[in-house]
Amino acid sequence: MPRNITARTGHTAAINCRVDHLGDKSVSWIRKRDLHILTAGVLTYTSDERFKVVRTADSKDWTLHVKYAQPRDSGIYECQVNTEPKISMAFRLNVIVTPPDAKAIIAGPTDLYVKVGSVITLTCLVKQPTTSAQDIGPIYWYRGPYILTPFVAHPNEAAIDLQRISMESTLTEKLQSRLRIANAQLLDTGNYTCLPTTAEAASVLVNVINDESPAAMQKSKGVRVASSCRSTRMALVMALVASSVVRWLLSCSCSNASSNVSSLHINYWHPQAIRVSRRVERPQLRVDVDLRETLSES
């Protein structure tokens, strides 16, 4: 387990303690500076509601969460088991203030297409010129809500094959982390997030595809857009033709007082039909115009 944890001000700090063969014993978290018992088992013994312990179903991992962490929360926290004699492990929490513009960047497009069987490589860069090297914490990778780190028990390990996943971090003038997934499978499709402990996260959508190339997928999208535009133009043409026919028929009916016309109806037979009615005088004149063939020819 990481023994030196760095968290950003205002974010949740998580300190994880793993205990094997716990049996009927209990785990407690102690704040070292004032020897305050924060939690014992799943119960919280502090009025500060920011502190909470979360355990896994197998009772191996006991994680102390500190919500809305502040610099004053920095210090030593001790995980204790009430054996005789007691056993314990100390962890150092560093809560730091980072620049508001500190952000992670994942190199490449925000939508990434890879073929089944290939290698997925994501590179995350974090530039923090005002942060000292010792204050920069690790970078965590997530797929959706699930963390991709081998030392954390995963609720759905069958879906995330950690044997195919590797991570490498380096620190020069930038903090860099590279996530590599070998032999990509369709189930690897998802939203991948690079989450530094000292900067805003960055995400990329990875699409694992079989045969269809990304270029073909983009072309298919373009065809759908063009088809939509053609449909819109057809509707406008129909509206203009309808308007012209209405004006012509009305002018004819008005110039001929003996035409005995009381109502004029023009029906367009098209998925986007236009019906125009105008009351003039007596019995009814009905005109049906079918433009389907005309439009298909155009």
Side-chain angles (χ1 to χ4, degrees), residues 35-290:
L35 299 179
H36 190 98
I37 299 175
L38 300 172
T39 66
V42 296
L43 302 177
T44 302
Y45 287 90
T46 175
S47 58
D48 191 338
E49 297 180 353
R50 299 179 303 123
F51 290 90
K52 180 182 179 181
V53 69
V54 177
R55 67 171 179 177
T56 54
D58 57 9
S59 295
K60 281 188 175 182
D61 292 280
W62 297 76
T63 305
L64 179 66
H65 285 192
V66 186
K67 294 182 179 180
Y68 312 111
Q70 300 298 319
R72 67 175 183 273
D73 296 317
S74 300
I76 303 297
Y77 292 81
E78 193 172 84
C79 172
Q80 291 185 0
V81 181
N82 63 340
T83 54
E84 187 58 46
K86 74 173 183 180
I87 57 175
S88 63
M89 182 174 289
F91 299 82
R92 177 179 289 279
L93 173 63
N94 305 295
V95 182
I96 62 173
V97 179
T98 57
D101 58 346
K103 295 180 180 179
I105 299 174
I106 297 179
T110 55
D111 275 7
L112 180 64
Y113 292 88
V114 297
K115 289 186 177 181
V116 170
S118 60
V119 177
I120 302 172
T121 302
L122 303 177
T123 302
C124 181
L125 302 172
V126 183
K127 187 175 181 180
Q128 295 176 301
T130 60
T131 304
S132 61
Q134 61 267 24
D135 285 338
I136 296 180
I139 291 179
Y140 297 100
W141 285 93
Y142 287 79
R143 189 180 78 195
Y146 301 123
I147 192 169
L148 299 177
T149 48
F151 57 82
V152 175
H154 196 280
N156 192 9
E157 292 181 357
I160 297 182
D161 182 6
L162 295 176
Q163 298 299 321
R164 297 187 292 116
I165 298 175
S166 61
M167 283 164 281
E168 178 187 5
S169 295
T170 57
L171 176 63
T172 53
E173 70 276 3
K174 295 181 181 180
L175 177 61
Q176 174 178 300
S177 179
R178 181 175 288 110
L179 174 68
R180 185 178 186 274
I181 304 177
N183 188 23
Q185 302 298 313
L186 293 177
L187 54 82
D188 293 320
T189 295
N191 190 68
Y192 287 77
T193 301
C194 162
L195 180 61
T197 53
T198 57
E200 291 294 334
S203 296
V204 61
L205 181 61
V206 175
N207 304 274
V208 182
I209 58 177
N210 270 320
D211 299 326
E212 190 177 10
S213 66
M217 297 177 71
Q218 295 299 328
K219 182 178 179 181
S220 175
K221 292 179 182 178
V223 169
R224 289 195 296 269
V225 171
S227 176
S228 175
C229 291
R230 283 196 297 271
S231 297
T232 302
R233 287 197 295 269
M234 289 170 63
L236 291 174
V237 169
M238 289 166 52
L240 291 172
V241 172
S243 177
S244 299
V245 172
V246 169
R247 287 196 299 269
W248 177 75
L249 289 174
L250 287 177
S251 64
C252 291
S253 63
C254 291
S255 62
N256 187 1
S258 62
S259 60
N260 295 327
V261 174
S262 66
S263 294
L264 170 64
H265 294 274
I266 296 179
N267 292 336
Y268 256 111
W269 300 110
H270 186 275
Q272 294 174 322
I274 302 175
R275 173 169 295 183
V276 182
S277 297
R278 172 74 182 270
R279 178 166 299 279
V280 183
E281 283 182 355
R282 284 190 285 264
Q284 187 180 75
L285 170 65
R286 182 182 184 90
V287 181
D288 291 332
V289 183
D290 192 338

Side-chain angles (χ1 to χ4, degrees), residues 234 268-271 289-298:
M234 289 170 63
Y268 256 111
W269 300 110
H270 186 275
V289 183
D290 192 338
L291 289 185
R292 283 175 290 188
E293 295 182 2
T294 304
L295 290 173
S296 63
E297 291 175 1
S298 64

